[in-house]
Amino acid sequence: MVSFAELSLTSFLADRLQQAGFTAPTPIQSAAIPLALEGRDLLAQAKTGSGKTLAFLIPLIERAVKEGWKPAGSARSPRALVLAPTRELALQIEMELRKYAPPSVTSLAVYGGVPIERHYRALRQPPMIVIGTPGRLLDVAGTRHLDLRGIEYVVMDEADQMLDRGFLRDIQRILQLLPSQRQTMLFSATFSPEILTLAESMLKNPARTAVDPGV
Ligand code: ADP
Ligand code: MG
């Protein structure tokens, strides 16, 4: 893929990318987006600053719009879950999502350091996409306020940082709350044997893409 136009994205997303001045995808976007849109699980490595956020947000937004994800209503589970290692990153991902997604594609970031009641209140209207840090996400998912049984898409961003911060156990517990029938994408700046082991436990027959081997 050499231009976003080739993807025939829904108009809102295409317009927003154009407004951002983005016409050409970065190499990781070029590799990851078509595979993600095909429904493949993905193990993707690219260095920091290479555009990994849009590599997973573009397919998520496109799916949400094309498949007409509805405000959850009686089914209270979100459809997609993005895991991030820090509050800053979770907020950054949500800001990026809000920049490119139409208002109908609702979202919520949950993270530590703020009263959990704030998340409970926000979850009265279940969002379609939840972005969260592992610890707080587990705390919230352990209550009636957040049901993860309808999750169809899972993204783990910065998997190497997740492991560096000791989130492996939390991640394993989150995975147990998710349907096994789902699409999962794992992004990391670096690969290590530990990441490959985690990937094996999370991903089904993943497509592998490494844009900056050796970084
Ligand atoms: P990473 O997660 O790989 O560290 P980011 O997703 O944070 O990288 O993106 C790094 C920067 O590149 C951001 O400022 C983002 O807006 C910009 N960017 C993303 N995609 C493109 C693109 N296709 N063309 C130009 N800039 C882009
Ligand atoms: Mg990133």
Side-chain angles (χ1 to χ4, degrees):
M1 188 199 1
V2 294
S3 77
F4 284 123
E6 283 173 60
L7 288 170
S8 310
L9 297 168
T10 50
S11 59
F12 189 97
L13 179 52
D15 289 351
R16 286 296 164 98
L17 286 167
Q18 200 171 27
Q19 283 162 19
F22 298 171
T23 48
T26 66
I28 186 65
Q29 291 165 2
S30 202
I33 294 170
L35 290 164
L37 287 173
E38 277 173 27
R40 290 291 301 271
D41 276 11
L42 204 62
L43 178 55
Q45 178 197 16
K47 67 177 182 188
T48 300
S50 57
K52 291 191 288 297
T53 318
L54 282 176
F56 60 78
L57 285 183
I58 288 174
L60 273 190
I61 296 167
E62 184 68 12
R63 278 287 174 79
V65 174
K66 273 241 174 83
E67 295 172 6
W69 294 3
K70 292 272 184 301
S74 59
R76 307 220 12 118
S77 171
R79 307 282 291 267
L81 172 66
V82 180
L83 292 166
T86 64
R87 164 177 38 183
E88 289 69 31
L89 192 63
L91 284 167
Q92 196 183 317
I93 293 167
E94 211 218 355
M95 265 174 51
E96 193 108 333
L97 176 67
R98 295 280 34 109
K99 188 167 163 193
Y100 294 97
S104 60
V105 180
T106 53
S107 59
L108 178 70
V110 301
Y111 44 81
V114 300
I116 199 166
E117 288 73 22
R118 189 163 133 188
H119 302 317
Y120 294 161
R121 263 198 307 280
L123 283 164
R124 282 181 201 155
Q125 291 290 327
M128 293 179 205
I129 300 177
V130 170
I131 301 140
T133 52
R136 178 55 63 95
L137 187 83
L138 266 179
D139 288 345
V140 179
T143 71
R144 66 189 157 78
H145 300 277
L146 179 62
D147 182 356
L148 297 178
R149 286 173 297 181
I151 295 286
E152 294 166 277
Y153 303 92
V154 177
V155 176
M156 181 174 315
D157 195 16
E158 311 278 10
D160 45 4
Q161 282 193 49
M162 291 278 200
L163 297 186
D164 290 348
R165 288 167 188 273
F167 283 134
L168 182 59
R169 282 296 299 278
D170 284 352
I171 289 164
Q172 288 167 337
R173 289 169 63 203
I174 291 167
L175 291 175
Q176 285 171 4
L177 301 175
L178 302 175
S180 57
Q181 186 75 19
R182 60 167 202 261
Q183 182 182 4
T184 310
M185 296 173 259
L186 188 152
F187 288 81
S188 191
T190 59
F191 277 171
S192 63
E194 290 75 19
I195 299 231
L196 295 176
T197 304
L198 177 66
E200 219 162 280
S201 74
M202 288 183 75
L203 306 174
K204 282 194 190 132
N205 184 27
R208 255 182 94 149
T209 127
V211 169
D212 305 287
V215 172

